Amino acid sequence: MLCCDEGEGSRTNRAINKLLRREKRVYDSQIKLLLLGAGESGKSTIAKQMKILHKEGFDEIERNQYKIVVYNNIMQSMLYLLSYDFKKQPIQLSSSVLNETAERLIRLAGDNFYAEETIHKSTAEDIKALLDDPIIHSRRSNCDNIYVCSGFLDDIDRIAGEKYTPTDQDILKARAKTTGIVEISFTMDDVMFKIVDVGGQRCQRRKWINCFEDVSAVVFCAALNEYDVGLYEDPTINRMTESITIFNNISNTEWLRESAMILFLNKDDLFREKIKRVPLSEYFSEFTTKADLGSQEYYEAAIDYIKQKFITQCTSPARQIYTHITCATDTDRVRVVFKVVKDVILRRALDSAGIL
């Protein structure tokens, strides 16, 4: 009888050790997260946050490299605000002096690229004078351009001058199109991650399939505030409609059938402001609510509608879409959301290994 008990105990120990080895392999293996989404959806900002939160952040060389990005974002903002109907022809401002100032700034900005090593104080004064013009002020208050919305124009005094060094927030807000494939590896709570960020513009999407192998989870980013904006490549196509179409393709492709599907409805901060004045129903006629425009109830109804528009694109009833409302420039918020994402991915991995 004793020998039988020892045999049973031995088998139990072997089973436990086998499970522990499986669990160790799960935790030791690298989790690959693929960041997908249309252009300007906030994918690259999420990748930057991982570098801030789980690596050593940005060193002096990288910060200096971001200077030129910030400078060009400012100039692109001004070129946009100074153009007629937000196209290329310059508008006429309220005085001949300001028109001359605008022409000087346009010449300085060059062909959409600012090559100076700094923004001089005199240039900052020109920018502030132009921003005070009632025409520019009105255009800016009703503008959704990503460069204008970055907030750099409000910080022109801080940014101008040779001593400027971009802060973490500056780097998070700095906008530059992702071309090619960017990979960031890091460890979070003793788990190894590799984030793959691929450009979201139409011309970049053919590269996506090259990254579909061994993907633990797809993090699909969609910009909530773009429900009334046309595509950069084709202004006649609504950006959110395009994003929904892309999500349909990604959530149903066989290549990613075993990958967790995580949906980040991003830029909630900008969406909260826009939804107070721009009805969602003007661009998505099937959206209806009894709530008043600008109310919290209207915001919640709009969020729920957009969320369902995305989730229902997935045709597999068994597949769960893990959805989060995010603001990629908010480091604390991203920290909390990503901890939840990590737990979801680990639970799925442990379940697949037969541990849960």
mmCIF file of all heavy atoms in Angstrom, residues 243-287:
data_model
loop_
_atom_site.group_PDB
_atom_site.id
_atom_site.type_symbol
_atom_site.label_atom_id
_atom_site.label_comp_id
_atom_site.label_asym_id
_atom_site.label_seq_id
_atom_site.Cartn_x
_atom_site.Cartn_y
_atom_site.Cartn_z
ATOM 1 N N SER A 243 -10.716 53.086 -41.263
ATOM 2 C CA SER A 243 -10.189 52.343 -40.129
ATOM 3 C C SER A 243 -11.045 51.115 -39.833
ATOM 4 O O SER A 243 -10.524 50.031 -39.537
ATOM 5 C CB SER A 243 -10.115 53.252 -38.899
ATOM 6 O OG SER A 243 -9.471 52.616 -37.831
ATOM 7 N N ILE A 244 -12.354 51.267 -39.917
ATOM 8 C CA ILE A 244 -13.272 50.142 -39.692
ATOM 9 C C ILE A 244 -13.055 49.054 -40.741
ATOM 10 O O ILE A 244 -13.051 47.858 -40.437
ATOM 11 C CB ILE A 244 -14.736 50.638 -39.694
ATOM 12 C CG1 ILE A 244 -15.006 51.495 -38.448
ATOM 13 C CG2 ILE A 244 -15.715 49.471 -39.752
ATOM 14 C CD1 ILE A 244 -16.317 52.254 -38.493
ATOM 15 N N THR A 245 -12.859 49.467 -41.986
ATOM 16 C CA THR A 245 -12.603 48.511 -43.072
ATOM 17 C C THR A 245 -11.307 47.736 -42.835
ATOM 18 O O THR A 245 -11.245 46.513 -43.029
ATOM 19 C CB THR A 245 -12.531 49.244 -44.422
ATOM 20 O OG1 THR A 245 -13.777 49.920 -44.659
ATOM 21 C CG2 THR A 245 -12.253 48.278 -45.562
ATOM 22 N N ILE A 246 -10.269 48.455 -42.401
ATOM 23 C CA ILE A 246 -8.984 47.795 -42.125
ATOM 24 C C ILE A 246 -9.156 46.797 -40.982
ATOM 25 O O ILE A 246 -8.631 45.676 -41.035
ATOM 26 C CB ILE A 246 -7.906 48.829 -41.759
ATOM 27 C CG1 ILE A 246 -7.668 49.800 -42.914
ATOM 28 C CG2 ILE A 246 -6.594 48.127 -41.408
ATOM 29 C CD1 ILE A 246 -6.791 50.984 -42.529
ATOM 30 N N PHE A 247 -9.886 47.194 -39.942
ATOM 31 C CA PHE A 247 -10.093 46.297 -38.804
ATOM 32 C C PHE A 247 -10.855 45.045 -39.225
ATOM 33 O O PHE A 247 -10.569 43.941 -38.732
ATOM 34 C CB PHE A 247 -10.842 47.013 -37.681
ATOM 35 C CG PHE A 247 -10.938 46.203 -36.419
ATOM 36 C CD1 PHE A 247 -9.820 46.008 -35.618
ATOM 37 C CD2 PHE A 247 -12.143 45.622 -36.039
ATOM 38 C CE1 PHE A 247 -9.899 45.238 -34.459
ATOM 39 C CE2 PHE A 247 -12.230 44.862 -34.883
ATOM 40 C CZ PHE A 247 -11.105 44.677 -34.089
ATOM 41 N N ASN A 248 -11.791 45.194 -40.128
ATOM 42 C CA ASN A 248 -12.508 44.037 -40.669
ATOM 43 C C ASN A 248 -11.515 43.052 -41.289
ATOM 44 O O ASN A 248 -11.561 41.835 -41.021
ATOM 45 C CB ASN A 248 -13.527 44.512 -41.717
ATOM 46 C CG ASN A 248 -14.300 43.368 -42.345
ATOM 47 O OD1 ASN A 248 -13.720 42.509 -42.992
ATOM 48 N ND2 ASN A 248 -15.611 43.364 -42.179
ATOM 49 N N ASN A 249 -10.604 43.569 -42.092
ATOM 50 C CA ASN A 249 -9.621 42.701 -42.757
ATOM 51 C C ASN A 249 -8.689 42.030 -41.749
ATOM 52 O O ASN A 249 -8.401 40.830 -41.851
ATOM 53 C CB ASN A 249 -8.797 43.517 -43.750
ATOM 54 C CG ASN A 249 -9.633 44.051 -44.903
ATOM 55 O OD1 ASN A 249 -10.647 43.460 -45.271
ATOM 56 N ND2 ASN A 249 -9.228 45.170 -45.477
ATOM 57 N N ILE A 250 -8.221 42.799 -40.767
ATOM 58 C CA ILE A 250 -7.256 42.273 -39.802
ATOM 59 C C ILE A 250 -7.898 41.258 -38.851
ATOM 60 O O ILE A 250 -7.323 40.213 -38.552
ATOM 61 C CB ILE A 250 -6.626 43.428 -38.997
ATOM 62 C CG1 ILE A 250 -5.759 44.308 -39.910
ATOM 63 C CG2 ILE A 250 -5.797 42.898 -37.832
ATOM 64 C CD1 ILE A 250 -4.616 43.576 -40.576
ATOM 65 N N SER A 251 -9.091 41.556 -38.372
ATOM 66 C CA SER A 251 -9.726 40.670 -37.385
ATOM 67 C C SER A 251 -10.233 39.373 -37.995
ATOM 68 O O SER A 251 -10.525 38.412 -37.262
ATOM 69 C CB SER A 251 -10.891 41.401 -36.685
ATOM 70 O OG SER A 251 -11.902 41.751 -37.617
ATOM 71 N N ASN A 252 -10.305 39.309 -39.321
ATOM 72 C CA ASN A 252 -10.820 38.105 -39.968
ATOM 73 C C ASN A 252 -9.779 37.335 -40.785
ATOM 74 O O ASN A 252 -10.096 36.277 -41.333
ATOM 75 C CB ASN A 252 -12.001 38.471 -40.888
ATOM 76 C CG ASN A 252 -13.200 38.971 -40.103
ATOM 77 O OD1 ASN A 252 -13.673 38.309 -39.183
ATOM 78 N ND2 ASN A 252 -13.688 40.154 -40.443
ATOM 79 N N THR A 253 -8.560 37.848 -40.859
ATOM 80 C CA THR A 253 -7.546 37.139 -41.638
ATOM 81 C C THR A 253 -7.096 35.862 -40.945
ATOM 82 O O THR A 253 -6.935 35.818 -39.712
ATOM 83 C CB THR A 253 -6.325 38.040 -41.909
ATOM 84 O OG1 THR A 253 -5.367 37.306 -42.695
ATOM 85 C CG2 THR A 253 -5.653 38.500 -40.625
ATOM 86 N N GLU A 254 -6.880 34.824 -41.726
ATOM 87 C CA GLU A 254 -6.421 33.544 -41.190
ATOM 88 C C GLU A 254 -5.015 33.649 -40.614
ATOM 89 O O GLU A 254 -4.648 32.891 -39.717
ATOM 90 C CB GLU A 254 -6.461 32.475 -42.286
ATOM 91 C CG GLU A 254 -7.847 31.938 -42.580
ATOM 92 C CD GLU A 254 -8.432 31.197 -41.375
ATOM 93 O OE1 GLU A 254 -7.752 30.324 -40.820
ATOM 94 O OE2 GLU A 254 -9.562 31.528 -40.988
ATOM 95 N N TRP A 255 -4.223 34.582 -41.124
ATOM 96 C CA TRP A 255 -2.844 34.737 -40.666
ATOM 97 C C TRP A 255 -2.779 35.055 -39.170
ATOM 98 O O TRP A 255 -1.804 34.716 -38.500
ATOM 99 C CB TRP A 255 -2.157 35.860 -41.444
ATOM 100 C CG TRP A 255 -1.878 35.534 -42.873
ATOM 101 C CD1 TRP A 255 -2.685 35.817 -43.948
ATOM 102 C CD2 TRP A 255 -0.739 34.866 -43.403
ATOM 103 N NE1 TRP A 255 -2.119 35.367 -45.105
ATOM 104 C CE2 TRP A 255 -0.911 34.783 -44.809
ATOM 105 C CE3 TRP A 255 0.413 34.331 -42.838
ATOM 106 C CZ2 TRP A 255 0.018 34.186 -45.647
ATOM 107 C CZ3 TRP A 255 1.357 33.750 -43.670
ATOM 108 C CH2 TRP A 255 1.162 33.671 -45.058
ATOM 109 N N LEU A 256 -3.809 35.727 -38.647
ATOM 110 C CA LEU A 256 -3.785 36.178 -37.248
ATOM 111 C C LEU A 256 -4.884 35.520 -36.423
ATOM 112 O O LEU A 256 -5.278 36.034 -35.380
ATOM 113 C CB LEU A 256 -3.926 37.705 -37.196
ATOM 114 C CG LEU A 256 -2.805 38.489 -37.905
ATOM 115 C CD1 LEU A 256 -3.188 39.971 -38.037
ATOM 116 C CD2 LEU A 256 -1.488 38.353 -37.149
ATOM 117 N N ARG A 257 -5.341 34.367 -36.874
ATOM 118 C CA ARG A 257 -6.475 33.695 -36.222
ATOM 119 C C ARG A 257 -6.174 33.323 -34.778
ATOM 120 O O ARG A 257 -7.049 33.353 -33.911
ATOM 121 C CB ARG A 257 -6.852 32.443 -37.019
ATOM 122 C CG ARG A 257 -8.090 31.717 -36.520
ATOM 123 C CD ARG A 257 -8.556 30.696 -37.550
ATOM 124 N NE ARG A 257 -7.453 29.813 -37.940
ATOM 125 C CZ ARG A 257 -7.132 28.679 -37.313
ATOM 126 N NH1 ARG A 257 -7.821 28.319 -36.247
ATOM 127 N NH2 ARG A 257 -6.131 27.928 -37.735
ATOM 128 N N GLU A 258 -4.908 32.978 -34.475
ATOM 129 C CA GLU A 258 -4.541 32.554 -33.123
ATOM 130 C C GLU A 258 -4.054 33.709 -32.249
ATOM 131 O O GLU A 258 -3.738 33.502 -31.074
ATOM 132 C CB GLU A 258 -3.446 31.487 -33.201
ATOM 133 C CG GLU A 258 -3.848 30.223 -33.970
ATOM 134 C CD GLU A 258 -5.041 29.529 -33.338
ATOM 135 O OE1 GLU A 258 -5.131 29.527 -32.090
ATOM 136 O OE2 GLU A 258 -5.880 29.002 -34.086
ATOM 137 N N SER A 259 -3.992 34.896 -32.802
ATOM 138 C CA SER A 259 -3.493 36.056 -32.047
ATOM 139 C C SER A 259 -4.621 36.748 -31.292
ATOM 140 O O SER A 259 -5.748 36.827 -31.788
ATOM 141 C CB SER A 259 -2.837 37.067 -33.000
ATOM 142 O OG SER A 259 -1.851 36.456 -33.803
ATOM 143 N N ALA A 260 -4.317 37.238 -30.094
ATOM 144 C CA ALA A 260 -5.300 38.040 -29.351
ATOM 145 C C ALA A 260 -5.542 39.336 -30.124
ATOM 146 O O ALA A 260 -4.626 39.902 -30.720
ATOM 147 C CB ALA A 260 -4.784 38.347 -27.954
ATOM 148 N N MET A 261 -6.793 39.790 -30.135
ATOM 149 C CA MET A 261 -7.137 41.010 -30.867
ATOM 150 C C MET A 261 -7.543 42.085 -29.865
ATOM 151 O O MET A 261 -8.561 41.963 -29.168
ATOM 152 C CB MET A 261 -8.284 40.729 -31.842
ATOM 153 C CG MET A 261 -8.542 41.832 -32.846
ATOM 154 S SD MET A 261 -7.155 42.179 -33.965
ATOM 155 C CE MET A 261 -6.893 40.580 -34.746
ATOM 156 N N ILE A 262 -6.701 43.113 -29.776
ATOM 157 C CA ILE A 262 -6.909 44.201 -28.811
ATOM 158 C C ILE A 262 -7.161 45.489 -29.571
ATOM 159 O O ILE A 262 -6.373 45.863 -30.450
ATOM 160 C CB ILE A 262 -5.684 44.334 -27.886
ATOM 161 C CG1 ILE A 262 -5.487 43.039 -27.095
ATOM 162 C CG2 ILE A 262 -5.844 45.517 -26.940
ATOM 163 C CD1 ILE A 262 -4.109 42.882 -26.493
ATOM 164 N N LEU A 263 -8.245 46.156 -29.257
ATOM 165 C CA LEU A 263 -8.649 47.378 -29.954
ATOM 166 C C LEU A 263 -8.457 48.587 -29.048
ATOM 167 O O LEU A 263 -9.049 48.665 -27.976
ATOM 168 C CB LEU A 263 -10.116 47.267 -30.383
ATOM 169 C CG LEU A 263 -10.770 48.507 -30.998
ATOM 170 C CD1 LEU A 263 -10.085 48.896 -32.313
ATOM 171 C CD2 LEU A 263 -12.265 48.256 -31.235
ATOM 172 N N PHE A 264 -7.601 49.502 -29.463
ATOM 173 C CA PHE A 264 -7.425 50.773 -28.757
ATOM 174 C C PHE A 264 -8.200 51.853 -29.503
ATOM 175 O O PHE A 264 -7.828 52.242 -30.612
ATOM 176 C CB PHE A 264 -5.944 51.171 -28.718
ATOM 177 C CG PHE A 264 -5.130 50.498 -27.649
ATOM 178 C CD1 PHE A 264 -5.652 49.477 -26.876
ATOM 179 C CD2 PHE A 264 -3.821 50.884 -27.415
ATOM 180 C CE1 PHE A 264 -4.894 48.854 -25.895
ATOM 181 C CE2 PHE A 264 -3.051 50.276 -26.444
ATOM 182 C CZ PHE A 264 -3.581 49.259 -25.681
ATOM 183 N N LEU A 265 -9.285 52.319 -28.921
ATOM 184 C CA LEU A 265 -9.994 53.489 -29.462
ATOM 185 C C LEU A 265 -9.300 54.700 -28.862
ATOM 186 O O LEU A 265 -9.543 55.072 -27.714
ATOM 187 C CB LEU A 265 -11.482 53.415 -29.113
ATOM 188 C CG LEU A 265 -12.235 52.234 -29.748
ATOM 189 C CD1 LEU A 265 -13.685 52.208 -29.298
ATOM 190 C CD2 LEU A 265 -12.143 52.281 -31.270
ATOM 191 N N ASN A 266 -8.449 55.307 -29.649
ATOM 192 C CA ASN A 266 -7.469 56.269 -29.161
ATOM 193 C C ASN A 266 -7.909 57.722 -29.372
ATOM 194 O O ASN A 266 -8.892 58.003 -30.035
ATOM 195 C CB ASN A 266 -6.130 55.993 -29.871
ATOM 196 C CG ASN A 266 -4.977 56.727 -29.243
ATOM 197 O OD1 ASN A 266 -4.950 56.943 -28.027
ATOM 198 N ND2 ASN A 266 -4.028 57.143 -30.050
ATOM 199 N N LYS A 267 -7.135 58.625 -28.809
ATOM 200 C CA LYS A 267 -7.351 60.077 -28.886
ATOM 201 C C LYS A 267 -8.685 60.479 -28.254
ATOM 202 O O LYS A 267 -9.411 61.333 -28.757
ATOM 203 C CB LYS A 267 -7.252 60.559 -30.334
ATOM 204 C CG LYS A 267 -5.897 60.231 -30.970
ATOM 205 C CD LYS A 267 -5.676 60.938 -32.292
ATOM 206 C CE LYS A 267 -4.305 60.594 -32.858
ATOM 207 N NZ LYS A 267 -4.003 61.294 -34.111
ATOM 208 N N ASP A 268 -8.964 59.843 -27.126
ATOM 209 C CA ASP A 268 -10.206 60.139 -26.405
ATOM 210 C C ASP A 268 -10.255 61.593 -25.949
ATOM 211 O O ASP A 268 -11.342 62.191 -25.891
ATOM 212 C CB ASP A 268 -10.323 59.200 -25.199
ATOM 213 C CG ASP A 268 -11.587 59.426 -24.399
ATOM 214 O OD1 ASP A 268 -12.666 59.480 -25.015
ATOM 215 O OD2 ASP A 268 -11.498 59.563 -23.161
ATOM 216 N N ASP A 269 -9.105 62.194 -25.637
ATOM 217 C CA ASP A 269 -9.080 63.585 -25.196
ATOM 218 C C ASP A 269 -9.589 64.519 -26.287
ATOM 219 O O ASP A 269 -10.410 65.417 -26.027
ATOM 220 C CB ASP A 269 -7.670 63.982 -24.761
ATOM 221 C CG ASP A 269 -6.618 63.712 -25.834
ATOM 222 O OD1 ASP A 269 -6.833 62.815 -26.688
ATOM 223 O OD2 ASP A 269 -5.578 64.403 -25.826
ATOM 224 N N LEU A 270 -9.141 64.305 -27.519
ATOM 225 C CA LEU A 270 -9.584 65.142 -28.643
ATOM 226 C C LEU A 270 -11.037 64.840 -29.007
ATOM 227 O O LEU A 270 -11.793 65.744 -29.376
ATOM 228 C CB LEU A 270 -8.677 64.912 -29.855
ATOM 229 C CG LEU A 270 -7.188 65.238 -29.654
ATOM 230 C CD1 LEU A 270 -6.399 64.917 -30.918
ATOM 231 C CD2 LEU A 270 -6.998 66.700 -29.270
ATOM 232 N N PHE A 271 -11.410 63.575 -28.889
ATOM 233 C CA PHE A 271 -12.784 63.188 -29.193
ATOM 234 C C PHE A 271 -13.774 63.843 -28.227
ATOM 235 O O PHE A 271 -14.837 64.323 -28.631
ATOM 236 C CB PHE A 271 -12.909 61.671 -29.122
ATOM 237 C CG PHE A 271 -14.305 61.137 -29.368
ATOM 238 C CD1 PHE A 271 -14.839 61.129 -30.643
ATOM 239 C CD2 PHE A 271 -15.077 60.655 -28.315
ATOM 240 C CE1 PHE A 271 -16.121 60.636 -30.876
ATOM 241 C CE2 PHE A 271 -16.350 60.166 -28.532
ATOM 242 C CZ PHE A 271 -16.869 60.158 -29.821
ATOM 243 N N ARG A 272 -13.426 63.878 -26.946
ATOM 244 C CA ARG A 272 -14.314 64.477 -25.950
ATOM 245 C C ARG A 272 -14.624 65.930 -26.267
ATOM 246 O O ARG A 272 -15.749 66.411 -26.043
ATOM 247 C CB ARG A 272 -13.682 64.377 -24.554
ATOM 248 C CG ARG A 272 -13.789 63.017 -23.904
ATOM 249 C CD ARG A 272 -13.140 62.992 -22.544
ATOM 250 N NE ARG A 272 -13.265 61.710 -21.899
ATOM 251 C CZ ARG A 272 -14.301 61.341 -21.141
ATOM 252 N NH1 ARG A 272 -15.293 62.194 -20.938
ATOM 253 N NH2 ARG A 272 -14.324 60.154 -20.571
ATOM 254 N N GLU A 273 -13.630 66.648 -26.778
ATOM 255 C CA GLU A 273 -13.836 68.052 -27.124
ATOM 256 C C GLU A 273 -14.633 68.191 -28.415
ATOM 257 O O GLU A 273 -15.543 69.017 -28.506
ATOM 258 C CB GLU A 273 -12.481 68.763 -27.251
ATOM 259 C CG GLU A 273 -11.740 68.894 -25.929
ATOM 260 C CD GLU A 273 -12.567 69.600 -24.867
ATOM 261 O OE1 GLU A 273 -13.159 70.657 -25.173
ATOM 262 O OE2 GLU A 273 -12.642 69.091 -23.725
ATOM 263 N N LYS A 274 -14.305 67.400 -29.397
ATOM 264 C CA LYS A 274 -14.981 67.537 -30.695
ATOM 265 C C LYS A 274 -16.447 67.137 -30.627
ATOM 266 O O LYS A 274 -17.310 67.789 -31.238
ATOM 267 C CB LYS A 274 -14.262 66.693 -31.754
ATOM 268 C CG LYS A 274 -14.934 66.762 -33.121
ATOM 269 C CD LYS A 274 -14.254 65.899 -34.161
ATOM 270 C CE LYS A 274 -12.980 66.534 -34.639
ATOM 271 N NZ LYS A 274 -12.392 65.805 -35.780
ATOM 272 N N ILE A 275 -16.754 66.079 -29.881
ATOM 273 C CA ILE A 275 -18.117 65.552 -29.856
ATOM 274 C C ILE A 275 -19.088 66.534 -29.196
ATOM 275 O O ILE A 275 -20.306 66.406 -29.329
ATOM 276 C CB ILE A 275 -18.150 64.172 -29.146
ATOM 277 C CG1 ILE A 275 -19.376 63.353 -29.588
ATOM 278 C CG2 ILE A 275 -18.114 64.317 -27.641
ATOM 279 C CD1 ILE A 275 -19.335 62.919 -31.026
ATOM 280 N N LYS A 276 -18.546 67.541 -28.515
ATOM 281 C CA LYS A 276 -19.400 68.571 -27.916
ATOM 282 C C LYS A 276 -19.974 69.512 -28.971
ATOM 283 O O LYS A 276 -21.008 70.144 -28.747
ATOM 284 C CB LYS A 276 -18.602 69.395 -26.901
ATOM 285 C CG LYS A 276 -18.160 68.629 -25.671
ATOM 286 C CD LYS A 276 -17.291 69.499 -24.772
ATOM 287 C CE LYS A 276 -16.782 68.734 -23.557
ATOM 288 N NZ LYS A 276 -15.879 69.560 -22.720
ATOM 289 N N ARG A 277 -19.311 69.600 -30.134
ATOM 290 C CA ARG A 277 -19.735 70.580 -31.146
ATOM 291 C C ARG A 277 -19.999 69.984 -32.529
ATOM 292 O O ARG A 277 -20.674 70.611 -33.358
ATOM 293 C CB ARG A 277 -18.679 71.684 -31.273
ATOM 294 C CG ARG A 277 -17.271 71.194 -31.534
ATOM 295 C CD ARG A 277 -16.231 72.307 -31.543
ATOM 296 N NE ARG A 277 -14.874 71.798 -31.659
ATOM 297 C CZ ARG A 277 -14.303 71.440 -32.793
ATOM 298 N NH1 ARG A 277 -14.980 71.576 -33.928
ATOM 299 N NH2 ARG A 277 -13.061 70.986 -32.813
ATOM 300 N N VAL A 278 -19.482 68.774 -32.796
ATOM 301 C CA VAL A 278 -19.666 68.154 -34.119
ATOM 302 C C VAL A 278 -20.452 66.860 -33.965
ATOM 303 O O VAL A 278 -19.908 65.861 -33.480
ATOM 304 C CB VAL A 278 -18.307 67.866 -34.796
ATOM 305 C CG1 VAL A 278 -18.532 67.281 -36.197
ATOM 306 C CG2 VAL A 278 -17.454 69.128 -34.870
ATOM 307 N N PRO A 279 -21.736 66.852 -34.359
ATOM 308 C CA PRO A 279 -22.562 65.647 -34.169
ATOM 309 C C PRO A 279 -22.031 64.452 -34.957
ATOM 310 O O PRO A 279 -21.677 64.578 -36.131
ATOM 311 C CB PRO A 279 -23.934 66.079 -34.707
ATOM 312 C CG PRO A 279 -23.925 67.573 -34.694
ATOM 313 C CD PRO A 279 -22.504 67.968 -34.950
ATOM 314 N N LEU A 280 -21.977 63.308 -34.314
ATOM 315 C CA LEU A 280 -21.537 62.089 -34.971
ATOM 316 C C LEU A 280 -22.497 61.703 -36.095
ATOM 317 O O LEU A 280 -22.093 61.172 -37.127
ATOM 318 C CB LEU A 280 -21.439 60.952 -33.947
ATOM 319 C CG LEU A 280 -20.968 59.582 -34.448
ATOM 320 C CD1 LEU A 280 -19.555 59.666 -35.027
ATOM 321 C CD2 LEU A 280 -21.015 58.553 -33.314
ATOM 322 N N SER A 281 -23.784 62.014 -35.914
ATOM 323 C CA SER A 281 -24.810 61.633 -36.894
ATOM 324 C C SER A 281 -24.635 62.325 -38.239
ATOM 325 O O SER A 281 -25.169 61.860 -39.255
ATOM 326 C CB SER A 281 -26.202 61.946 -36.336
ATOM 327 O OG SER A 281 -26.298 63.310 -35.977
ATOM 328 N N GLU A 282 -23.891 63.429 -38.294
ATOM 329 C CA GLU A 282 -23.660 64.106 -39.566
ATOM 330 C C GLU A 282 -22.764 63.282 -40.488
ATOM 331 O O GLU A 282 -22.756 63.485 -41.711
ATOM 332 C CB GLU A 282 -23.026 65.480 -39.335
ATOM 333 C CG GLU A 282 -23.989 66.510 -38.750
ATOM 334 C CD GLU A 282 -23.378 67.897 -38.690
ATOM 335 O OE1 GLU A 282 -22.228 68.075 -39.187
ATOM 336 O OE2 GLU A 282 -24.036 68.808 -38.148
ATOM 337 N N TYR A 283 -22.024 62.339 -39.906
ATOM 338 C CA TYR A 283 -21.086 61.527 -40.683
ATOM 339 C C TYR A 283 -21.442 60.045 -40.640
ATOM 340 O O TYR A 283 -21.025 59.289 -41.518
ATOM 341 C CB TYR A 283 -19.659 61.763 -40.184
ATOM 342 C CG TYR A 283 -19.262 63.210 -40.329
ATOM 343 C CD1 TYR A 283 -19.520 64.130 -39.308
ATOM 344 C CD2 TYR A 283 -18.696 63.675 -41.503
ATOM 345 C CE1 TYR A 283 -19.196 65.471 -39.451
ATOM 346 C CE2 TYR A 283 -18.371 65.016 -41.665
ATOM 347 C CZ TYR A 283 -18.624 65.908 -40.636
ATOM 348 O OH TYR A 283 -18.324 67.235 -40.786
ATOM 349 N N PHE A 284 -22.198 59.644 -39.628
ATOM 350 C CA PHE A 284 -22.699 58.280 -39.528
ATOM 351 C C PHE A 284 -24.193 58.388 -39.231
ATOM 352 O O PHE A 284 -24.610 58.476 -38.072
ATOM 353 C CB PHE A 284 -21.957 57.501 -38.434
ATOM 354 C CG PHE A 284 -20.526 57.211 -38.764
ATOM 355 C CD1 PHE A 284 -19.537 58.154 -38.523
ATOM 356 C CD2 PHE A 284 -20.164 56.006 -39.362
ATOM 357 C CE1 PHE A 284 -18.218 57.904 -38.853
ATOM 358 C CE2 PHE A 284 -18.844 55.749 -39.691
ATOM 359 C CZ PHE A 284 -17.864 56.699 -39.442
ATOM 360 N N SER A 285 -24.970 58.401 -40.309
ATOM 361 C CA SER A 285 -26.394 58.739 -40.209
ATOM 362 C C SER A 285 -27.190 57.750 -39.370
ATOM 363 O O SER A 285 -28.247 58.096 -38.833
ATOM 364 C CB SER A 285 -27.005 58.847 -41.612
ATOM 365 O OG SER A 285 -26.815 57.633 -42.327
ATOM 366 N N GLU A 286 -26.704 56.498 -39.242
ATOM 367 C CA GLU A 286 -27.452 55.499 -38.467
ATOM 368 C C GLU A 286 -27.301 55.703 -36.953
ATOM 369 O O GLU A 286 -28.016 55.071 -36.169
ATOM 370 C CB GLU A 286 -27.019 54.079 -38.843
ATOM 371 C CG GLU A 286 -25.586 53.730 -38.527
ATOM 372 C CD GLU A 286 -24.616 54.040 -39.651
ATOM 373 O OE1 GLU A 286 -24.840 55.023 -40.384
ATOM 374 O OE2 GLU A 286 -23.628 53.308 -39.781
ATOM 375 N N PHE A 287 -26.386 56.583 -36.543
ATOM 376 C CA PHE A 287 -26.235 56.862 -35.112
ATOM 377 C C PHE A 287 -27.374 57.762 -34.642
ATOM 378 O O PHE A 287 -27.614 58.832 -35.202
ATOM 379 C CB PHE A 287 -24.906 57.562 -34.830
ATOM 380 C CG PHE A 287 -24.796 58.089 -33.416
ATOM 381 C CD1 PHE A 287 -24.654 57.218 -32.346
ATOM 382 C CD2 PHE A 287 -24.860 59.448 -33.160
ATOM 383 C CE1 PHE A 287 -24.566 57.689 -31.049
ATOM 384 C CE2 PHE A 287 -24.766 59.938 -31.865
ATOM 385 C CZ PHE A 287 -24.624 59.043 -30.805
#
